[in-house]
Every structure is written in C-alpha cells, then in structure tokens.
Amino acid sequence: MTHRGRRPGWWRSAILCSVALGALVADCAAAGASTTTTTTAPDVTYVGVAGRSISLGMTQSPSGCNPHTTAGDTPATQLVLNAVLPSPFFVNAAGNVEQNANLLVGNQAELVSTKPETIVYTLNPKAVWSDGVPITAKDFIYAWTQQRGDPASDSTTVASTAGYRDIRSVVGSNNGRTVTVIFRTPFADWEMLFSDLLPAHIMEKTGWDPACTTVNQAIDLSGGPFRIAKVTAQSVVLGSNPKWWGTKPNSRRITVDIAADSAQLAQWVSTDHVQVALPSDLTPAFLDEMTSLPGVQSQIALSGTILQMEMASGPDSVLSPGMRLAIALSVDREALTTRQADWALSSVQVATSHMYAQGETGYHTTPSTTPTTTPSAAPTTSTSTSTTVIDQGGTVNFPSVPSPAQASALMAASGYTRVGTGTWDNDFSVALTLNLAVDESDPWAASVAPQLRSQLESAGFTVSLTPERSAAAAGELLADGSADLALIPRTSTPFLSETVAWYSDLLGSPGQNGSQNWTNYDNGTFANLVTQASQQLNKNDATTDYQAADVQLWDDVVALPLFTEPTALISSRKVGYVTATPTSNSLLWYAQYWAVRVPEATNNTTPSLPGP
C-alpha cells in the first residue's frame, strides 16, 4: 500500500546500530530509535560542514518521471523525487504524518468542515518551481483532474484514484495561494493526497504520462531544496535548487549512484565511493562486510513491507476455500521467518496481519506457535478443521507451524487423495499442480520461494515456480488464472485507506486505477468494512473497522502473511545527520540536513541542524 509507499512509513521497532566504529551515538539516536552501538572513540572530534558533496548508493533505479503513473509508481522513483517534488505532508522518521512547513504558511492545511468534508491549504507565497513559476492551486487542480478516474482527462495510466475520486471540487483563490478542496464522500486519509506535486504548466504540454524511463530534469521541476541536475543510466545528480525559498541545504550536491547489486554497493562503501547506502537486496554477506568496516554505521529495522503468499480466491479458481486453508496449514512460517529474516533482525516475528506491518498501531498480537483445538471461532471457509483463526478477543491464532493432520483432512474433503508421502491426486489420478508466481524484484520473495516450494511439496503439493519482474506482474498472473499462488510484498503506509485496492474491486478490476486485488477476492463484508473505515474521520473508529476487515481475510484465507521485511541503511561517520526512514520513501527528504563531517580544526561552516 505502498504507497506506495507507498508505496510511504515510521519506526515500528528499535533500530539496531550493529556496528558504528568511530560513529557518534547521537546520529543514530537522532533518528528516534533506541540503539545498540559499539563505539571506538575517535582521536579527534568530527563536526559537520556545509557546501560539500555526498553520494548515496542504492540497488534500484528510478523507472519514470511521474510517480503517479503505473510505470513511475516505484520506491526508487518516489525516493529520488522526494528531494525534488513538493508535498503538503510527508511521513517523518518517527512514523508520523507531518505538514511541510516550507510549502504551507504557518503549517496551514486544515479540515474546516465535515459536512461536507472541506480542506483548506494556504500556500507559502514564496513557493516557486525551479523555473520561477509560482506553485499554486493550478498544480493541485491538475493533480486532481488527472487522478480522479475521469475519462475526460488525458491520463490513462494512474497509480491510484483512491481519495481523488471522492473529491467534488478543487478551487483556488487569493491568487492561487489558497486551495479549497471539497469532498463529495468523506475521505479520512486526505493528508496523503497531492503528494509529489508536479508542475501543471509543464505537464499540460508533455501529457500526464511522458515517455521517460527515469526521472527527467525537464519535467520534474523542483519545488524542494534540490533539483535534478543530471541524469544518466547509472546515476542521478541532485544539485541545490537556486530558487529554493527555504533554509539552504547543507550539501550542495547529492549524487545517487545505482549499483548492480549489494556486492557492488559494498565495494562502493568500502572505497568511500558512496557515503550512504540503501540496499534493496540485503544479504548476510553484505551485512557481514559492512559491520566489519571501521567508521561505518549499519542501521537495521523493520520496513513497512509485508511478504505474503496470496491465493487465487475468485469463483473460477481451482482452489476452494478448504484447499486454500489446507495449503496455508502446510506452510511452516516459523521456519521461513527464522531462516530467511532472523539473521538480519532477530525481532522479526511471524506476521499476524494482512494490513499492518509488525509494530504498527493496530497490528494483532503474536500468534500461537501451535494450532489450538478450541472451536470457538472456526474459519467460515470449512467446518472440517478445529483450528481457531481468531479468538473472541481478536487475537490471531492462525498457527505459525504446519498442521499436517488438519491439512490432510481438508484436502480429502475437497476430493483429493494421497498415498503415503506421494502427491495429492484427483479422481483421475492426476497430481494437483500449483503454479507459484514470484516477484523476483523483491529479494525476500526470491529468497523465500525455494524453501516455500519445498515445504509445500513435502506436504504433497506439486509446485512450479514462475519468476516475474515485479509484484504487479506476479499479481497479474494470479488474477488472470495463470497462477494459483503469488509470493509478493505488500507495502503498508499510515494511510490504510489504500488497502481498499488490495482485496476488493472498489477501485476497479485488478490492474486498473490502482486496484491490486490480484486474488479476485469478492466479499461484501470486507468491502463494506474498508469503505466505512476509509470514511471514518475518527482514527480510533477506523482502526476498529480495519482490524475487523483483517479478521475477515483470515477467516477466508485469502493470503498467508509471512513476515515484515527488514531493511538497512548504511552510512559513513564522514557524514552527519543521516536520518533513516525504514518504513517510508522519505530518506532524501532529510538529505537537506546531511552534512560532510571533518575534524573540528578544519570546520569553517556550521551546518543547519535537522528539523524536529
């Protein structure tokens, strides 16, 4: 979700600063997390200076110049543009939604009425695009008209219409510096809207979905402290924006270098080619090398991304509800989590929610490690099992270890037979074969897939793996019936209304208007719950509805959450004020505070300190 992450997040666990030889403890603590740090006192005191250049290495590349299209809706695109495109709100390192004081005068974005829901934004009169054109209501109006799902607009590829389709009008006044948004239907997560604003005066010429495969300095005009100065296949150079009206960034240039993999990224860190590193393919070898380097700080934390095995649940699927439950009861999630994720972060647990990442408010309590036989809340999908999925207190008790006897009973009740350790066969002695689509772009999914297949095959299922280039590609195979299972990540954000796209057709058919209902799940109770939750302006009431919707997913065994994926941020002690944002794409929003550190005797400039 994530958004998109979503695919933006929001500390949900303590950061583990595994090794910070020569690093200042304060740098890690400033990120809002408790730390475990090994420190070797430096011979001299290091202080930040302004006006230097810093390099960030990452293993994913931006995919477009409009982050609100299906092509550009990727974490890498959003991360880079977060330093460039303005947003009324952003998700800060502490996990809270915060107003952008540079764009909004006096932090003015207010809910002024609930009947109808009305939001008023007061824009800073100094706010201009990097070409000098003022940022005004015109940019808000353009964003709305292109993302509301109106066939009359020139947009054909919209990342999501959620929220925008609920708006009745967007009107500018006060020379465009006041923006009034009126909703026809209440939308609780209005703060997520109008993020990464694009310059309307440019987009009206290029069209909503320009033909670009990466960020583009001619299209992505800056409304932030940095602008896109240069783009190649291997790097993006962010230079200070001369039209920026806020506090000048400490660094005059941030270069984003794209590594082929974590091995190359490790080499870059060890040779000081990059001073900050954000690997997507986190591996034991990478972490071992990073934690052995003097003067390098490794921050490991839970991300906002949940790895899940999704199951075809539509009326045309060969998987009945009982078969889905049997498959889920054949998976040893405890073993998967221990082997695949525990090495990176020991606090990772077997997931108990389809919607909330571990540690987020609303996340269910820890599941039991063995099936319970209390039939107080047996799954509605089958009466042939005594496994309790949800108890009366709302605790998820779906077993984290296999339940072979119950799985076998469910398969037999579904018309399949198995002799000894053989395969599950139908009445014609043909083995049931499950096609598992795997998002190979997600390193955790790629790593888990072989072990998951082995577990299912040990339980009698024949499994074929189909690697796909993205979560959407794997999901599309599931949606069109080409796959029975899909191993894909789901990115949670503070804006849970995005989950309407995950397991319902409220936004449209899978792949349209942001709909990610790859399972073809169709349950009226679930749809009503998430619709009601998305309209609840009271966050506590919304949480209750989302939790109830999550319970419905467990009852119907639509997907099997495995674990929340760990993430890492590596930084050199030569750079200060690097704030990790493990559950959002806000890392480069904080790059305005990054500063090169030098011995105190050479300090000639005092850098700007990070904001609150």
Side-chain angles (χ1 to χ4, degrees):
M1 81 187 95
T2 209
H3 122 73
R4 288 188 9 188
R6 246 196 230 6
R7 47 196 163 52
W10 333 289
W11 291 108
R12 296 193 179 116
S13 75
I15 293 178
L16 172 64
C17 292
S18 55
V19 171
L21 298 178
L24 295 182
V25 176
D27 281 347
C28 193
S34 60
T35 65
T36 301
T37 307
T38 300
T39 303
T40 299
D43 295 331
V44 295
T45 300
Y46 284 83
V47 295
V49 297
R52 304 293 182 88
S53 298
I54 298 172
S55 293
L56 163 70
M58 50 192 288
T59 50
Q60 291 184 333
S61 178
S63 60
C65 53
N66 184 348
H68 305 298
T69 63
T70 53
D73 182 27
T74 63
T77 304
Q78 294 155 11
L79 185 144
V80 170
L81 291 179
N82 214 250
V84 175
L85 301 180
S87 301
F89 293 86
F90 68 99
V91 180
N92 64 25
N96 302 315
V97 179
E98 185 177 331
Q99 288 192 22
N100 182 351
N102 289 303
L103 182 64
L104 303 173
V105 173
N107 291 338
Q108 297 266 332
E110 300 177 290
L111 174 65
V112 298
S113 174
T114 59
K115 295 182 178 180
E117 180 181 354
T118 304
I119 312 297
V120 175
Y121 302 83
T122 304
L123 304 181
N124 189 335
K126 298 179 181 179
V128 295
W129 295 105
S130 49
D131 64 352
V133 174
I135 299 173
T136 67
K138 182 178 180 181
D139 303 303
F140 284 72
I141 294 170
Y142 181 79
W144 168 54
T145 58
Q146 299 305 309
Q147 295 177 89
R148 63 186 175 183
D150 186 351
S153 71
D154 68 357
S155 60
T156 57
T157 55
V158 178
S160 178
T161 60
Y164 294 102
R165 62 180 185 156
D166 299 313
I167 296 175
R168 176 189 299 166
S169 63
V170 180
V171 177
S173 58
N174 188 27
N175 293 321
R177 295 301 187 177
T178 300
V179 186
T180 302
V181 179
I182 300 176
F183 289 79
R184 65 165 59 90
T185 303
F187 185 67
D189 287 333
W190 58 271
E191 292 167 324
M192 67 180 267
L193 302 178
F194 305 107
S195 63
D196 294 333
L197 279 172
L198 293 157
H201 65 289
I202 299 296
M203 302 304 293
E204 287 171 347
K205 299 174 183 177
T206 65
W208 172 256
D209 192 7
C212 46
T213 57
T214 186
V215 295
N216 188 316
Q217 63 193 106
I219 294 174
D220 297 311
L221 299 187
S222 177
F226 292 97
R227 64 182 178 87
I228 299 173
K230 183 179 179 181
V231 180
T232 69
Q234 290 77 37
S235 67
V236 178
V237 178
L238 302 174
S240 58
N241 177 11
K243 296 292 185 178
W244 175 239
W245 59 93
T247 302
K248 185 178 180 180
N250 288 327
S251 301
R252 63 183 176 85
R253 184 172 63 220
I254 303 289
T255 300
V256 180
D257 289 310
I258 312 301
D261 51 32
S262 60
Q264 184 177 37
L265 197 57
Q267 181 187 26
W268 286 354
V269 173
S270 63
T271 59
D272 200 35
H273 177 70
V274 300
Q275 294 77 51
V276 184
L278 184 67
S280 57
D281 53 336
L282 188 61
T283 65
F286 177 83
L287 277 189
D288 286 346
E289 184 171 356
M290 292 301 96
T291 55
S292 69
L293 294 175
V296 170
Q297 177 176 275
S298 302
Q299 302 180 52
I300 317 299
L302 291 171
S303 70
T305 300
I306 312 159
L307 182 62
Q308 304 196 121
M309 180 184 71
E310 306 210 345
M311 295 178 271
S313 306
D316 297 328
S317 171
V318 299
L319 301 182
S320 66
M323 292 171 68
R324 296 199 302 270
L325 184 54
I327 293 169
L329 290 172
S330 300
V331 176
D332 190 339
R333 297 189 294 152
E334 193 76 34
L336 288 174
T337 303
T338 299
R339 180 175 176 181
Q340 302 296 338
D342 187 70
W343 61 265
L345 193 64
S346 60
S347 61
V348 179
Q349 302 171 356
V350 173
T352 63
S353 176
H354 304 77
M355 296 182 173
Y356 297 93
Q358 179 184 333
E360 185 179 8
T361 301
Y363 185 74
H364 290 299
T365 55
T366 305
S368 59
T369 57
T370 57
T372 175
T373 56
T374 304
S376 61
T380 57
T381 53
S382 175
T383 58
S384 61
T385 178
S386 59
T387 299
T388 299
V389 178
I390 308 294
D391 69 16
Q392 293 179 347
T395 299
V396 173
N397 285 318
F398 197 96
S400 59
V401 296
S403 181
Q406 294 180 19
S408 295
L410 286 162
M411 289 302 296
S414 300
Y416 288 85
T417 59
R418 184 187 188 194
V419 178
T421 58
T423 59
W424 286 109
D425 299 337
N426 63 17
D427 292 339
F428 301 99
S429 299
V430 177
L432 172 65
T433 299
L434 302 175
N435 184 13
L436 173 61
V438 180
D439 173 17
E440 288 285 303
S441 70
D442 182 90
W444 301 101
S447 177
V448 164
Q451 187 179 356
L452 177 61
R453 176 174 63 178
S454 178
Q455 290 183 358
L456 292 175
E457 289 182 338
S458 295
F461 299 98
T462 300
V463 180
S464 63
L465 296 183
T466 302
E468 286 296 332
R469 68 187 182 280
S470 66
E476 286 168 359
L477 287 185
L478 190 65
D480 67 18
S482 299
D484 307 292
L485 312 171
L487 192 58
I488 58 178
R490 294 283 196 178
T491 300
S492 173
T493 79
F495 307 115
L496 281 180
S497 60
E498 293 180 330
T499 58
V500 302
W502 289 11
Y503 300 106
S504 76
D505 287 337
L506 293 172
L507 294 184
S509 301
Q512 296 182 5
N513 297 325
S515 174
Q516 300 171 38
N517 183 24
W518 310 123
T519 65
N520 287 312
Y521 179 58
D522 184 12
N523 181 287
T525 298
F526 174 85
N528 289 336
L529 282 168
V530 293
T531 297
Q532 180 174 293
S534 70
Q535 297 174 0
Q536 290 279 11
L537 298 180
N538 184 308
K539 291 186 180 297
N540 292 332
D541 292 340
T543 297
T544 299
D545 289 335
Y546 283 125
Q547 287 181 323
D550 195 15
V551 167
Q552 187 67 53
L553 294 175
W554 280 110
D555 273 353
D556 291 341
V557 200
V558 178
L560 185 65
L562 301 180
F563 56 81
T564 297
E565 299 179 356
T567 186
L569 180 68
I570 312 300
S571 58
S572 167
R573 74 182 179 105
K574 294 180 179 179
V575 177
Y577 314 119
V578 176
T579 301
T581 58
T583 54
S584 77
N585 291 319
S586 301
L587 177 65
L588 285 179
W589 190 92
Y590 286 97
Q592 59 190 301
Y593 303 120
W594 294 3
V596 171
R597 292 198 301 199
V598 299
E600 188 172 25
T602 65
N603 178 35
N604 53 21
T605 308
T606 302
S608 302
L609 295 177

